[in-house]
Amino acid sequence: PSMTDTMQALVVLEPETFEIQEVPVPEPGPMEVLCRVKAVSICGTDSHLIAGDDPGFWPPAFPIIPGHEWSGEIVKLGPGAEQAGWQVGDRVAGTSHDACGVCQQCVEGHYNLCENYGVMELHRQYGHNYQGADAEYVVHGVKCIFPLPETVSWEEGAVIDPASIALHVANRARIQPGDNVGIMGGGAIGLLGGEAAKIRGAGRVIVVEPLELRRQKALEMGFEVIDSSAGDAGATLREMTDGLGVDKIIEAAGVPITVQWSLAALRKGGRIAAVGIPNKGVEINMRDLVLYELEIAGSRASAGEMRRVMPHVADGRMRLSEVMTHEFALAEYADALTTFRDPASGAIKIIIKP
């Protein structure tokens, strides 16, 4: 493909102020590649970052180019990338954490918990504290690109990162074959978390969600649903399991009441994996936690699941197209974001085509 010196990119200048700018195409450094971005999806984190909800952290400073769930084609190799097995023309899907690789967590495979996070020379998180993929081109380190099977579309490729996060949270929940699984929140991570639960052998998957369009989608995907706008969903989950409670819960809603419902709905010895982050404190029932040996595990990003989720996407067990609801050009990002933020739109995953 013919290369230019500049590219179109979404630049966030300050909270809720962004524009499409013509910016220089970045150069790949050692063990990095330059990719032509074919598709990038909008994540809840993007919306929070643009809103300025986590100032000084995501991002450390404005301006920033966001975007971290993407697919594309390698167009240029930095020094060492070829020896690492990459070639110009390779189809790849990207993820955000480019970790140091040398701290104890990285050495043990937990690069999502890298102890050098935030030290820019050692760990970059693309689209969070370093330039992301809401642009025609993006540079990524070779540790955070993964081969995209020929049978998987560019658009689906932009949803591999959330699919890997969904598999990671299901892994963190330690879902066993035959487990009854509750899912708090019928957004992208909740619904893909349902797919991941099934991949791990879940018996029943019950999605708790207030929005009717999302409950409808969950039903179409073959899950059971609870309308959480109707009252105590924790009690309903328990009733639906003969009063015993669900074995495992994926907490993907990130509101205090759903965390409390989760604890109330767990079977004795049950486990919650939480991937949603409430924006205020949560009071939990420590008495139940202690007496019934309940567990709450955090779940951040993914740690190796990008490669492991790929075959499930390729053969249709992880149905990404089910959660892909809208598509926009990069120039239409403002419309895309408004649609993403509007509960009435039915938006789950919105794909941007730079």
Side-chain angles (χ1 to χ4, degrees):
S2 60
M3 286 286 302
T4 54
D5 296 329
T6 61
M7 64 176 182
Q8 299 277 303
L10 175 75
V11 181
V12 184
L13 302 168
E14 57 187 74
E16 296 299 340
T17 308
F18 54 85
E19 61 190 30
I20 306 295
Q21 288 185 3
E22 194 80 17
V23 302
V25 172
E27 275 291 316
M31 299 306 274
E32 292 179 340
V33 295
L34 176 70
C35 296
R36 174 70 176 93
V37 179
K38 298 288 189 175
V40 55
S41 68
I42 299 182
C43 167
T45 308
D46 294 318
S47 177
H48 288 300
L49 182 143
I50 291 168
D53 288 343
D54 213 339
F57 184 64
W58 291 338
F62 292 100
I64 186 158
I65 298 172
H68 59 277
E69 304 174 347
W70 65 278
S71 66
E73 182 182 350
I74 297 178
V75 292
K76 194 172 183 183
L77 303 171
E82 191 172 3
Q83 287 87 327
W86 298 102
Q87 293 178 338
V88 169
D90 284 350
R91 302 172 86 243
V92 298
T95 184
S96 67
H97 282 275
D98 193 0
C100 78
V102 296
C103 71
Q104 189 70 15
Q105 294 290 355
C106 280
V107 166
E108 293 180 0
H110 309 296
Y111 59 84
N112 55 328
L113 308 177
C114 175
E115 284 161 328
N116 286 308
Y117 186 90
V119 182
M120 292 305 292
E121 297 74 35
L122 294 170
H123 184 135
R124 292 170 175 173
Q125 192 180 9
Y126 299 108
H128 294 71
N129 61 20
Y130 195 79
Q131 183 208 312
D134 282 326
E136 291 179 288
Y137 295 92
V138 70
V139 162
H140 266 43
V142 294
K143 291 199 294 297
C144 39
I145 54 169
F146 299 84
L148 188 65
E150 286 295 335
T151 54
V152 178
S153 69
W154 294 121
E155 292 79 10
E156 289 174 313
V159 192
I160 300 281
D161 178 70
S164 76
I165 291 169
L167 182 56
H168 185 66
V169 71
N171 288 339
R172 291 285 293 149
R174 298 182 187 158
I175 292 164
Q176 306 269 2
D179 273 349
N180 292 326
V181 178
I183 296 191
M184 295 293 172
I189 300 298
L191 294 173
L192 295 178
E195 295 285 81
K198 290 280 193 186
I199 286 165
R200 284 192 59 113
R204 295 169 69 189
V205 174
I206 306 166
V207 177
V208 175
E209 168 60 49
L211 298 177
E212 187 178 357
L213 285 167
R214 291 186 167 189
R215 287 199 306 277
Q216 193 56 46
K217 173 60 74 176
L219 284 170
E220 285 167 19
M221 292 177 73
F223 307 136
E224 298 171 68
V225 296
I226 293 173
D227 179 359
S228 54
S229 64
D232 186 344
T236 308
L237 271 173
R238 190 167 282 283
E239 283 161 27
M240 288 172 71
T241 49
D242 301 326
L244 292 169
V246 288
D247 300 284
K248 308 288 163 55
I249 289 181
I250 290 174
E251 208 306 295
V255 275
I257 189 72
T258 58
V259 177
Q260 291 162 343
W261 284 340
S262 295
L263 277 169
L266 273 186
R267 191 170 190 157
K268 290 181 180 183
R271 182 173 170 101
I272 298 166
V275 67
I277 304 175
N279 56 14
K280 47 183 181 288
V282 182
E283 193 170 310
I284 64 168
N285 186 333
M286 281 301 291
R287 185 176 186 276
D288 285 359
L289 189 91
V290 171
L291 294 182
Y292 304 140
E293 292 199 350
L294 307 178
E295 300 178 8
I296 305 179
S299 183
R300 181 176 189 176
S302 62
E305 285 90 354
M306 285 290 284
R307 179 186 74 78
R308 292 182 178 275
V309 82
M310 294 272 191
H312 298 282
V313 172
D315 75 3
R317 277 176 291 181
M318 175 74 78
R319 295 166 291 175
L320 302 188
S321 57
E322 291 282 351
V323 302
M324 294 156 57
T325 53
H326 297 73
E327 203 170 288
F328 291 88
L330 183 63
E332 304 168 315
Y333 196 91
D335 294 339
L337 187 63
T338 302
T339 305
F340 181 81
R341 289 172 169 176
D342 176 12
S345 72
I348 302 176
K349 268 294 163 200
I350 294 183
I351 307 295
I352 305 291
K353 304 292 286 289

